[in-house]
Amino acid sequence: MNGLVLVDKPAGCTSHDVVNRWRKLANTRRVGHIGTLDPMATGLLGLVTGTATRLAQFFGAEEKTYRGEITLGCVSDTYDLDGDVKYTGIAAPPSEVVCAALGQFKGRVWQMPPPVSAKKINGVPAYKLARKNLPVELAPVEVEIKALTIDEIDGNRVGVTVVCSSGTYIRSIAHDLGQKLDCGALLSKLRRTRIGEFSEANSYTLEALADLAANGKLATAVIPSGALLPQMPSEYVDSEVEMKIRQGRDFRTSPFVVRPGTPYVKALSRSGDLIAIGELRIPNIYHPSTVL
């Protein structure tokens, strides 16, 4: 089982908890996740399993879509409900003021990550420092909010849909909105609905995966490695070239299949299995930088 598994993460568990659950179901140690979800958050979590763990580096820039709820008039140290929540006693402003303020977050913006986050400071995750009441000095990060839609406003609760670049913290959007409105705000709900081309509609709950495993059908939940990274062109090779690729030797691509100058190409066996990701060396000559 080498490929990608789309999991519908429940609330209350970490991304690492989901990884451990898959390890037990699939009886493998080779598994990792692409794009962490906070314990409070639900929705789409991608797991790369088997030899496909070597592909995790190619999923780092995937665009993500979230549905969330922001609650005005309260704050927390984690910027969400999982932290120490305090009510500010300040009423939410009129809906038109909230809409105007949220509109300012669209586009390329500099965002300060939450102090309780996985961002590292001198190799130490910020959340470990924050939990020990040690100083957390993070630098702002440039992110892109490609779309921010207000789904509804009900009193002090604001439902939003956000399409953003990788590395964006929806918690920070909520916190920054509260500061902009001078009433405080935190993220009260969050669900990830899309990662790049992958949708929550194709995901499996942990219970569904357990049922598949019990019936010997767990492999049906795995998207094969050869079907991943569709943005890369594919070059089908015979068994002789496959052996050379596995030995780390360069391989040639057809100029009619792979456009000259293409930085990466997938080398596939005749049966469609992913052998390696080739990196351009000279026109139509690729070096197998990642071999599965």
Side-chain angles (χ1 to χ4, degrees):
M1 292 188 288
N2 304 310
L4 178 71
V5 185
L6 301 177
V7 181
D8 187 345
K9 188 189 92 64
C13 69
T14 67
S15 299
H16 192 63
D17 291 336
V18 176
V19 167
N20 284 336
R21 184 69 180 276
W22 175 261
R23 281 177 175 155
K24 293 178 181 178
L25 291 175
N27 192 27
T28 181
R29 300 296 300 173
R30 303 178 71 180
V31 55
H33 58 75
I34 53 173
T36 303
L37 277 176
D38 292 328
M40 183 193 80
T42 66
L44 197 57
L45 180 68
L47 303 182
V48 279
T49 184
T51 57
T53 54
R54 298 171 187 168
L55 300 177
Q57 60 183 305
F58 297 102
F59 290 96
E62 295 290 325
E63 176 183 284
K64 298 177 175 66
T65 302
Y66 298 89
R67 291 198 312 269
E69 178 189 80
I70 298 171
T71 299
L72 305 175
C74 50
V75 296
S76 85
D77 55 341
T78 60
Y79 300 174
D80 63 15
L81 284 178
D82 279 344
D84 181 15
V85 178
K86 297 179 181 179
Y87 293 90
T88 64
I90 303 174
S95 58
E96 59 268 21
V97 175
V98 176
C99 291
L102 272 172
Q104 298 176 37
F105 288 92
K106 296 179 183 178
R108 299 199 69 86
V109 297
W110 287 94
Q111 184 184 76
M112 183 67 73
V116 180
S117 67
K119 289 286 185 181
K120 292 186 177 181
I121 302 173
N122 296 324
V124 180
Y127 69 84
K128 290 188 176 182
L129 299 174
R131 289 170 181 169
K132 294 179 180 178
N133 293 319
L134 296 174
V136 177
E137 298 180 2
L138 292 168
V141 178
E142 188 178 24
V143 298
E144 185 176 5
I145 312 297
K146 300 182 179 181
L148 198 164
T149 305
I150 298 175
D151 300 323
E152 66 173 343
I153 297 180
D154 182 11
N156 67 334
R157 299 182 185 276
V158 185
V160 296
T161 297
V162 182
V163 181
C164 57
S165 63
S166 181
T168 303
Y169 282 92
I170 312 301
R171 285 186 284 150
S172 287
I173 294 177
H175 174 77
D176 294 347
L177 175 65
Q179 289 192 319
K180 192 176 290 290
L181 296 175
D182 291 326
C183 65
L186 54 73
L187 188 67
S188 46
K189 292 181 182 177
L190 185 67
R191 180 172 181 79
R192 185 156 63 199
T193 61
R194 183 171 291 276
I195 303 174
E197 64 177 305
F198 303 110
S199 167
E200 63 176 338
N202 305 116
S203 64
Y204 294 83
T205 64
L206 292 175
E207 291 76 15
L209 290 173
D211 288 342
L212 288 174
N215 290 285
K217 298 180 180 180
L218 190 59
T220 61
V222 181
I223 302 172
S225 298
L228 303 177
L229 306 173
Q231 71 274 22
M232 293 184 188
S234 300
E235 180 77 15
Y236 288 85
V237 301
D238 59 27
S239 57
E240 182 179 350
V241 175
E242 177 180 349
M243 183 174 62
K244 292 179 180 178
I245 290 174
R246 294 194 180 281
Q247 294 171 348
R249 296 165 65 179
D250 293 351
F251 62 99
R252 182 181 297 276
T253 62
S254 167
F256 301 104
V257 176
V258 179
R259 187 174 61 186
T262 300
Y264 293 100
V265 65
K266 295 190 296 184
L268 302 180
S269 68
R270 292 299 185 192
S271 59
D273 294 326
L274 181 60
I275 301 166
I277 302 295
E279 187 174 359
L280 182 66
R281 284 294 183 259
I282 58 176
N284 296 112
I285 300 295
Y286 287 79
H287 179 74
S289 60
T290 303
V291 180
L292 277 69

